[in-house]
Amino acid sequence: MMELFTGLGLLLMVLLVFSLFSLKMPKGQLAMSGMADAAIASFLVEAIHKYILGNALSLPFFLEVGNNAGSLGGVAAAILVPINMGVNPVLAVSAGLAVGSFGILPGFIAGYVVAFLAPFIEKKLPEGVNIIAGALVSAPVAYLIASLVNPVVTSVLEQIGGAITVAAEQQPIIMGFLLGGIMKIVCTSPLSSMALTAMLGLTGLPMGIAAIACVGGAISNGVVFKRMGYGDNSNAVAVILEPLTQAVIVTSHPLPVYSGSFLGGGLSGIVAAALGIINNAPGTASTIPGLLAPFAFNDPLKVGLAIALSLVAGPIGGVVVSAIFRRLPSADGAAHKSKDLLHVNVPELHLPLHECDESEA
């Protein structure tokens, strides 16, 4: 049980750090968005092309494509984070190419530092010279930052990932519920669950739990959107496929949406843990890659059963959460009740007509 608390405690600590960074640091949300984009550009491509098309279908061309993409997560982060923060693309690419041997988190930190240095160089030097000088300065600065933080970052993340793996092996059902619920909340939030699981290097059962939880929890989100009246049918479909597209609605109604994410993801995580679904593709904690990646490492029939059960467990979570919030005297519940009142059938009143006398007139 101690391993369970240790693993979850370390995971929550990482989430707290990234949440505070996103909210409190200058341009923190833009930087985190850049890292999420980097996870898609590298780890999503790796998951589909390497593990599905390459390994499972034995297509060497896509295997090579996936290998190349997955090995450059740090480069993608060091490029996309500064670009997302408004840096000249030439300077951002110079920084990214210099950190080719580092992972996504050192690349993210290096890109974030360069994002504040590069505009200073551009403003202080003449046109044309500033681009050349900026590229020549950005590259060594990015490499220096990445090399300094890499030993500490790698050691800490390996310990956290190892603690989560041990906890999942010793308490699979409990960890399936808690890890599945937490990961689906991260997947729904502005933070990137793909980047998080890639940074932690999660593989095996924990990554299998995260993948299946993101699938079932996505359906839970759609059910909450539909039953609570958040947007229309297109919004409900969009939050299933990619929650970040509905960030405005999610942040406007965090309690119902995140509660649905946790319960639907947790129930789906139990399914994955009970069936022993493994996933050795880090960074696939999202709806579509989570749906596909487990097929590369498990019996297809077992994965199909896990997905089918998660598509039942997810809606159950959504129905339960939405039923609770529709009855609470909260802003969400009150808004939904007022919306329902608009559709109440009021019986027509047939009152006898009478003539008014002169005094009434």
Side-chain angles (χ1 to χ4, degrees):
M1 190 61 71
M2 181 58 67
E3 290 80 6
L4 174 67
F5 290 116
T6 301
L8 287 176
L10 292 172
L11 176 60
L12 292 174
M13 180 189 70
V14 173
L15 293 177
L16 177 61
V17 169
F18 277 105
S19 297
L20 291 175
F21 179 93
S22 179
L23 295 173
K24 301 298 183 181
M25 293 297 288
K27 298 186 178 181
Q29 292 185 349
L30 293 174
M32 292 300 297
S33 178
M35 184 164 67
D37 293 340
I40 293 172
S42 55
F43 301 124
L44 176 60
V45 173
E46 179 188 34
I48 303 302
H49 290 313
K50 177 180 179 179
Y51 296 109
I52 302 298
L53 299 178
N55 288 341
L57 299 182
S58 300
L59 298 175
F61 172 79
F62 290 102
L63 177 63
E64 190 67 22
V65 171
N67 273 328
N68 289 338
S71 65
L72 297 175
V75 174
I79 292 174
L80 290 173
V81 168
I83 287 179
N84 215 41
M85 296 170 66
V87 171
N88 186 303
V90 175
L91 277 61
V93 172
S94 299
L97 295 178
V99 299
S101 59
F102 297 99
I104 189 170
L105 189 53
F108 166 78
I109 297 172
Y112 185 73
V113 173
V114 167
F116 291 99
L117 174 64
F120 177 79
I121 296 175
E122 284 192 272
K123 291 179 181 179
K124 294 298 181 180
L125 296 178
E127 187 76 23
V129 177
N130 55 2
I131 300 299
I132 297 173
L136 293 175
V137 172
S138 296
V141 168
Y143 182 84
L144 176 63
I145 297 298
S147 61
L148 289 175
V149 302
N150 185 62
V152 176
V153 165
T154 301
S155 175
V156 171
L157 293 180
E158 285 180 351
Q159 290 183 15
I160 296 173
I164 293 173
T165 300
V166 171
E169 291 174 351
Q170 296 189 359
Q171 303 286 341
I173 302 301
I174 298 175
M175 198 65 176
F177 180 74
L178 296 176
L179 179 61
I182 292 171
M183 280 300 175
K184 185 53 200 173
I185 289 178
V186 178
C187 183
T188 307
S189 74
L191 300 176
S192 172
S193 54
M194 294 179 64
L196 176 63
T197 53
M199 286 187 301
L200 295 177
L202 291 187
T203 56
L205 182 59
M207 195 62 240
I209 291 170
I212 299 299
C214 285
V215 175
I219 307 300
S220 179
N221 287 340
V223 171
V224 170
F225 266 50
K226 181 68 175 177
R227 286 172 55 84
M228 296 297 293
Y230 301 153
D232 53 22
N233 290 336
S234 63
N235 297 107
V237 172
V239 79
I240 292 173
L241 297 178
E242 178 47 70
L244 292 180
T245 63
Q246 304 303 305
V248 173
I249 296 179
V250 170
T251 54
S252 299
H253 309 281
L255 283 178
V257 177
Y258 288 148
S259 297
S261 295
F262 183 81
L263 185 55
L267 294 175
S268 301
I270 290 176
V271 169
L275 292 175
I277 300 296
I278 63 171
N279 180 3
N280 292 325
T284 52
S286 187
T287 306
I288 296 176
L291 181 69
L292 298 176
F295 282 101
F297 308 102
N298 303 272
D299 184 326
L301 292 178
K302 185 166 71 171
V303 176
L305 177 60
I307 291 173
L309 292 176
S310 73
L311 295 181
V312 175
I316 290 175
V319 169
V320 170
V321 167
S322 58
I324 293 173
F325 277 93
R326 288 170 70 171
R327 288 167 173 77
L328 289 178
S330 62
D332 287 291
H336 190 88
K337 288 177 182 178
S338 64
K339 181 179 178 181
D340 287 343
L341 289 175
L342 296 177
H343 302 285
V344 173
N345 293 322
V346 180
E348 296 182 2
L349 299 178
H350 300 284
L351 300 177
L353 299 177
H354 62 278
E355 296 181 355
C356 298
D357 57 26
E358 294 182 0
S359 63
E360 290 175 323

